Amino acid sequence: MNPKQFLLVGGVVLALVGILGFVGILGPSEEDSIFGSWWWFDNAENIAHLILGIVALAAAFLLPEGMQKPLVILVGVLGIVVGVYSAAVSAMFLGANLESPADTILHIAVGIW
């Protein structure tokens, strides 16, 4: 997979997760999420996913190929940092609640990918 494909696939997935996260918040608890209790995203996470998805899609079409690879590397590093931070330091990261072990695993896996 080349950097443009990563940005396209990742952008669509992130934007969908952000939108579905907002749709799925039916109440104040994890059980009210469209994703169930395994992956429950608060509004801060939904906003972050939606914005990052839109930025990734824009970057896939607007950035020259030479700038896409460093951006993908930065996204990978960011994913690993957020995953390790949520596992080792705090479940709160820039206002987002990352207390689910699935959040940690997902961020690290995406970072490695």
Side-chain angles (χ1 to χ4, degrees):
M1 176 175 287
N2 65 38
K4 182 173 185 161
Q5 292 168 326
F6 179 87
L7 291 168
L8 288 170
V9 171
V12 167
V13 169
L14 281 170
L16 269 172
V17 167
I19 292 167
L20 289 174
F22 282 121
V23 171
I25 296 178
L26 306 173
S29 73
E30 296 174 2
E31 291 79 25
D32 298 324
S33 169
I34 195 168
F35 298 108
S37 62
W38 183 246
W39 268 318
W40 183 82
F41 304 115
D42 62 18
N43 283 334
E45 287 178 283
N46 292 327
I47 291 168
H49 291 146
L50 184 57
I51 290 172
L52 289 171
I54 291 168
V55 168
L57 289 169
F61 292 108
L62 300 175
L63 283 182
E65 187 177 318
M67 292 182 69
Q68 290 176 351
K69 185 175 181 178
L71 177 60
V72 169
I73 292 169
L74 178 65
V75 168
V77 170
L78 180 63
I80 292 170
V81 167
V82 169
V84 170
Y85 182 89
S86 70
V89 179
S90 173
M92 291 300 292
F93 184 79
L94 299 176
N97 187 4
L98 305 172
E99 65 185 37
S100 167
D103 282 341
T104 299
I105 293 167
L106 180 64
H107 285 107
I108 292 173
V110 168
I112 291 169
W113 176 43

